[in-house]
Amino acid sequence: MVTTARGRPSRHVPPKKTAPARTARDLLETLPPTPGFRAEVIDGNLIVSPVSTPEHSWSATLLSYALQPIVIERKWRAHVGGVNICIDGPRDSLVPDFVLAPADCPRWGTLELRSSGLILVTEIVSPGSARVDRDDKPRIYAAGGVPIMLLVDLIATPPAVTVLSDPEDGDYRTVTRVQLGKPLRIPSPVDFDLDTSIFL
């Protein structure tokens, strides 16, 4: 028997029983906060990785600054990291480095934006996530109906920025890649000429 500081028996409160996690998505939804890490469900697998470096997040911030005029004009929302995206269909949960969404973007629950309601997602490639960012995430975002994906690859040789658009059957039909420093047209509905030298 456990007693309190005053010598009286304490009330034992049994822990609440919860259903066991059966999928990576179930496990993600039961995780406590993980400061310093981000958790994603990619192709049904729970992936926990350290948050990005200051240089990595600075690149996302620079993109936010560049797009700020159209974000304000069109009353969109720009999110620099920290926003989970629920992929329509498989319900994978990804955390892009930058997201453009309408103010009324539909959500999955209270915390996640739904992929089919987004305008643009951006991944900034880092050494620890290069394969996932370059190969897996374009396929996942296209399958989830994200109209535009921007891939900022500062570790490629040479460094490059790629815009992927026109998703169909789990793939982006239009891919435009420019070497870092050259202008890149982000198609409709963004309709913006991005000066990629901002990342130099």
Side-chain angles (χ1 to χ4, degrees), residues 98-115:
F98 178 80
V99 177
L100 272 184
D104 61 350
C105 185
R107 295 183 181 197
W108 179 268
T110 58
L111 300 177
E112 294 176 276
L113 300 177
R114 292 185 63 166
S115 60

Side-chain angles (χ1 to χ4, degrees), residues 42-43 94 123 125-126 129-143 149 151 153 162 164 170-172 177:
I42 300 174
D43 288 334
L94 280 71
E123 294 291 349
V125 179
S126 60
S129 66
R131 187 196 60 75
V132 170
D133 289 343
R134 292 171 181 158
D135 300 333
D136 297 339
K137 287 190 175 180
R139 171 182 48 80
I140 295 168
Y141 288 133
M149 179 185 177
L151 188 68
D153 197 341
T162 305
L164 304 97
D171 202 9
Y172 285 107
R177 179 181 169 111

Side-chain angles (χ1 to χ4, degrees), residues 152-191:
V152 179
D153 197 341
L154 305 178
I155 64 171
T157 306
V161 181
T162 305
V163 63
L164 304 97
S165 59
D166 302 319
E168 186 176 293
D169 298 326
D171 202 9
Y172 285 107
R173 293 182 298 157
T174 305
V175 178
T176 305
R177 179 181 169 111
V178 300
Q179 191 170 330
L180 198 63
K182 296 188 175 178
L184 177 65
R185 180 73 180 172
I186 302 176
S188 179
V190 179
D191 288 322

Side-chain angles (χ1 to χ4, degrees), residues 42-77:
I42 300 174
D43 288 334
N45 297 303
L46 180 62
I47 310 293
V48 179
S49 56
V51 294
S52 59
T53 63
E55 294 78 14
H56 189 98
S57 62
W58 178 239
S59 293
T61 301
L62 290 170
L63 178 61
S64 180
Y65 291 166
L67 294 173
Q68 186 176 25
I70 64 169
V71 169
I72 292 170
E73 174 192 324
R74 299 175 193 176
K75 298 182 178 165
W76 288 346
R77 301 291 185 261

